[in-house]
Amino acid sequence: DRGGVEGAWALCEEGAWQLVVLLQDGALLSLTPRGNLMFLREEGLADIALVQMVAVGQQEQLAPQQHETVAALLDPSRLLQSFVTRIRRHISQLQGLLLAVTDFRLSGKTEAGMGADRFGLRKVVVVATGRGKLYGLDSSSGAVLWQARVEGRPSALHLQRDGRTDSEAALASLVYRHARSTHFVLSFNPITGLVLNNMAVSLDLSQALLLPEFPDSSLRPLLLVGKDSSAQLLPPSAAAQISLLPRLFVVTEQAGHGLTGNLVTVAGDGVTVSLTPVWSLETPGTRVLHVRTRQQDEKVHSAGRVLEDRSVLFKYMNPNLALVLAEGQDSADRKSVV
């Protein structure tokens, strides 16, 4: 998970020596002559590239209050279930106290996992660094909960499902380009760090977009867009539900000096996804530097300004447009255009 050794420094004085090793993920590791670990510093966190905040969810949900009869409350099976639940809770609390005392810590917290707080403010901060390292950090203490590493530089980090669903586990995806091959999509649980899949993508990726949540599912699919305007949906089974959403548009770059607006369409087989050009914009004399499409379910607001005659001038934003950065070819006029 830390890669190979990039550098090493040794100090030998009066028969004792100390070794400090720099690893590929940016960590500094200090070893003793017996091979024991003296200290470990996560210097790779200084190269943060992408961040996502993941809600953990409540371990004990408060049940809604219901008006029940006295006979239902005094039901023997229900009373026995309540008694067993209360005893189990006391045993769990006693076990946590014993673990805290034996570990000489009075806080009762363990490093194995992370539970939600009472108000749901505690989060798992998922961090992807430029060195291809993934960290899961506790938002309350900053402690490293889990870590993983990929052989490449991350380009996109999307949260497809958080931990507030009871039926399915949380899911996140990291899109990165492998150091010696094509793009990959790493699917993992952002709360536990468990890697579920590491799939190679056949497209030369240009964008990785997060689609809105479908009405009958808590999963938000990923739309992968290639530089040749090809598209791929993850998971592929979500293509059948594209028709349930409003029309989806994707802005792509055209030969470095133009833009094309594409409508996301599904073929007759209900699985194949393609991009149908709707409009195009030529920008001669400029070069497109970056295209970033907004979130498909993002709310678009208007800006208003009161004029001298007391009238209000509104400027509306087209929700199908994207943020475009371009520059002129003339070196004397290299102004960024948004």
Side-chain angles (χ1 to χ4, degrees):
D1 290 338
R2 298 194 175 276
V5 177
E6 287 193 345
W9 301 268
L11 177 63
C12 182
E13 290 182 349
E14 299 179 357
W17 59 272
Q18 181 181 359
L19 179 65
V20 179
V21 178
L22 172 63
L23 302 175
Q24 283 184 345
D25 65 345
L28 287 177
L29 187 68
S30 177
L31 299 175
T32 65
R34 295 182 177 272
N36 298 324
L37 177 65
M38 290 187 62
F39 68 82
L40 174 65
R41 291 175 55 97
E42 299 291 350
E43 304 298 332
L45 285 170
D47 190 15
I48 294 177
L50 304 169
V51 176
Q52 285 287 350
M53 303 286 287
V54 184
V56 179
Q58 295 288 343
Q59 291 181 342
E60 295 179 2
Q61 299 287 347
L62 295 178
Q65 295 182 358
Q66 300 178 354
H67 299 284
E68 298 177 316
T69 61
V70 178
L73 293 175
L74 298 179
D75 184 33
S77 60
R78 180 169 181 175
L79 291 176
L80 179 60
Q81 181 181 3
S82 301
F83 177 76
V84 172
T85 302
R86 177 62 62 89
I87 294 298
R88 185 182 303 172
R89 182 176 305 174
H90 286 312
I91 293 176
S92 177
Q93 293 177 353
L94 180 60
Q95 181 182 7
L97 177 61
L98 293 177
L99 290 176
V101 172
T102 55
D103 202 16
F104 298 98
R105 290 184 290 110
L106 300 180
S107 60
K109 297 180 180 179
T110 61
E111 298 179 358
M114 174 177 175
D117 57 337
R118 179 180 179 183
F119 300 101
L121 300 178
R122 198 177 182 190
K123 301 289 191 299
V124 175
V125 185
V126 180
V127 174
T129 69
R131 294 176 176 266
K133 194 67 182 289
L134 276 173
Y135 293 97
L137 307 177
D138 188 348
S139 63
S140 62
S141 62
V144 178
L145 302 174
W146 57 265
Q147 54 184 291
R149 184 174 176 271
V150 295
E151 291 287 344
R153 183 175 181 85
S155 58
L157 176 61
H158 293 299
L159 177 61
Q160 296 182 260
R161 182 172 53 230
D162 58 19
R164 292 177 294 183
T165 57
D166 298 332
S167 58
E168 298 176 287
L171 180 64
S173 295
L174 176 71
V175 182
Y176 69 97
R177 187 179 184 89
H178 198 277
R180 297 182 299 275
S181 60
T182 182
H183 285 85
F184 280 74
V185 177
L186 179 73
S187 300
F188 63 98
N189 188 325
I191 298 178
T192 62
L194 177 64
V195 176
L196 304 176
N197 189 14
N198 192 13
M199 182 186 66
V201 181
S202 58
L203 307 178
D204 187 9
L205 284 186
S206 173
Q207 302 179 58
L209 309 177
L210 186 65
L211 297 185
E213 181 179 323
F214 291 131
D216 57 347
S217 175
S218 59
L219 179 67
R220 303 186 64 177
L222 281 183
L223 180 63
L224 305 179
V225 181
K227 293 183 179 179
D228 57 350
S229 297
S230 57
Q232 182 180 353
L233 195 63
L234 295 180
S237 58
Q241 300 179 344
I242 291 292
S243 59
L244 302 178
L245 299 176
R247 292 191 301 172
L248 301 177
F249 288 89
V250 176
V251 178
T252 58
E253 180 184 349
Q254 180 181 359
H257 56 79
L259 299 174
T260 302
N262 305 275
L263 176 65
V264 180
T265 58
V266 182
D269 57 0
V271 178
T272 306
V273 180
S274 60
L275 301 181
T276 303
V278 178
W279 57 265
S280 62
L281 175 65
E282 292 290 338
T283 57
T286 61
R287 181 171 61 92
V288 177
L289 299 180
H290 182 65
V291 177
R292 181 181 181 273
T293 304
R294 71 173 185 90
Q295 297 291 339
Q296 299 290 343
D297 55 350
E298 179 181 345
K299 296 181 182 296
V300 180
H301 304 278
S302 62
R305 183 167 62 92
V306 180
L307 303 180
E308 295 180 356
D309 58 352
R310 298 291 182 179
S311 62
V312 180
L313 174 63
F314 286 98
K315 292 185 178 180
Y316 294 94
M317 179 184 299
N318 190 336
N320 298 327
L321 293 182
L323 175 64
V324 181
L325 299 182
E327 65 176 1
Q329 294 181 354
D330 187 5
S331 60
D333 186 20
R334 297 181 65 86
K335 296 182 180 179
S336 298
V337 181
V338 179

